[in-house]
Amino acid sequence: MTRLTTCLDAESVAERAAAHVTRQLQRAKEERGLAHVALSGGTTPGRTYELLAREPGLWDEVHVWFADERCVAPDDPESNYLLAEQSLLSPASIPAERVHRMRGELGPEEGAAAYAREIGEHLPSIAGGPPVLDLIVLGIGPDGHVASLFPGAETLDAGEGAICLGVHDSPKPPPERITLSLAVLRAARGCLLLANGTSKADAVSAMLGEESRHVPASLLRRERLTLIVDDDAAPPGPRP
Ligand code: 6PG
């Protein structure tokens, strides 16, 4: 079952999300000596990253990965890396050797292949399955996309062996992107999905309904999913 928390506003979402990430990273470090977290871009998680940058010691032994990237240079205002860099990586002084950037400037295919190789060098897979991240932080589009896995896209059929994929026709600009595969999202020990605002309400309700390729967020492993939303994005019904 998905754990759903509804908060009063976007600031409370960010506070709850930062507390969740903190707990999951601490737990991974206690259990395995290090932690692997993947970040998303977009407008929603920035405040969470800012709060997380203030946690002393939290980022020791943590490797930072990305759920997706736009095919732009890392200093482009559209870059997901730039958002993370400004809100978290630089303020928390996370050393470059523990930050694994998707190289969007290489283009979708080359960038995805390079990232799959880098993941293979650092991340354990269990019993030959996909590599296992401790936590993936996700936003959701009004169309139900997560990372750069869009409704009905071929990338959703890439199979268990796919780690990282190139995207050429993203309906959300820019069209060229790199994304972790659905298999990697599903293999993670946890996914944390954040949603704020009325424009996300239908997508949040849809992802909690039947699994569908037309709502990629509905394909996440529900028992490993934590959903934190504000009142405006919350599904109808009593507030949990
Ligand atoms: C991206 C993302 C994408 C994002 C959602 C939500 O590169 O755009 O990683 O999956 O998380 O589109 O975006 P907002 O937070 O801006 O609504």
Side-chain angles (χ1 to χ4, degrees):
M1 267 299 277
T2 302
R3 284 171 296 274
L4 169 68
T5 302
T6 304
C7 302
L8 217 51
D9 54 20
E11 184 63 18
S12 323
V13 168
E15 285 166 11
R16 293 295 280 261
H20 180 82
V21 173
T22 301
R23 276 195 306 275
Q24 298 308 309
L25 296 185
Q26 282 168 343
R27 187 164 150 191
K29 290 197 284 182
E30 277 160 27
E31 289 176 2
R32 287 175 293 283
L34 79 177
H36 293 277
V37 62
L39 307 178
S40 285
T43 52
T44 311
R47 179 67 182 145
T48 302
Y49 299 160
E50 282 174 12
L51 297 176
L52 284 167
R54 299 179 191 165
E55 295 289 326
L58 176 64
W59 296 96
D60 298 349
E61 317 305 333
V62 176
H63 284 255
V64 179
W65 300 87
F66 285 81
D68 70 334
E69 182 56 282
R70 295 105 182 252
C71 286
V72 295
D75 58 355
D76 188 295
E78 291 266 36
S79 158
N80 288 344
Y81 168 78
L82 184 69
L83 166 79
E85 215 272 321
Q86 292 177 334
S87 53
L88 171 62
L89 309 175
S90 170
S93 306
I94 303 175
E97 63 270 20
R98 283 195 275 109
V99 176
H100 306 279
R101 178 174 82 75
M102 284 178 168
R103 283 182 280 157
E105 67 277 18
L106 297 179
E109 261 64 53
E110 211 184 319
Y115 210 58
R117 280 195 298 276
E118 190 165 345
I119 288 178
E121 284 162 19
H122 290 270
L123 267 170
S125 79
I126 293 173
V132 178
L133 285 148
D134 293 301
L135 181 66
I136 304 182
V137 180
L138 297 166
I140 183 170
D143 59 357
H145 77 255
V146 285
S148 287
L149 297 168
F150 291 94
E154 279 177 13
T155 45
L156 295 171
D157 306 318
E160 282 296 294
I163 294 176
C164 196
L165 299 160
V167 174
H168 289 268
D169 51 0
S170 160
K172 178 177 181 179
E176 296 201 324
R177 291 164 171 259
I178 301 166
T179 185
L180 293 182
S181 67
L182 183 60
V184 173
L185 266 47
R186 288 176 53 87
R189 292 192 172 86
C191 283
L192 169 65
L193 190 145
L194 310 178
N196 294 326
T198 49
S199 68
K200 304 293 175 70
D202 287 349
V204 169
S205 291
M207 73 172 280
L208 296 171
E210 265 179 43
E211 287 189 15
S212 161
R213 292 179 77 258
H214 299 292
V215 184
S218 71
L219 305 174
L220 298 168
R221 289 272 285 271
R222 313 239 171 154
E223 69 279 17
R224 298 187 188 177
L225 179 62
T226 300
L227 187 52
I228 304 181
V229 304
D230 72 358
D231 264 342
D232 290 338
R239 197 172 145 170

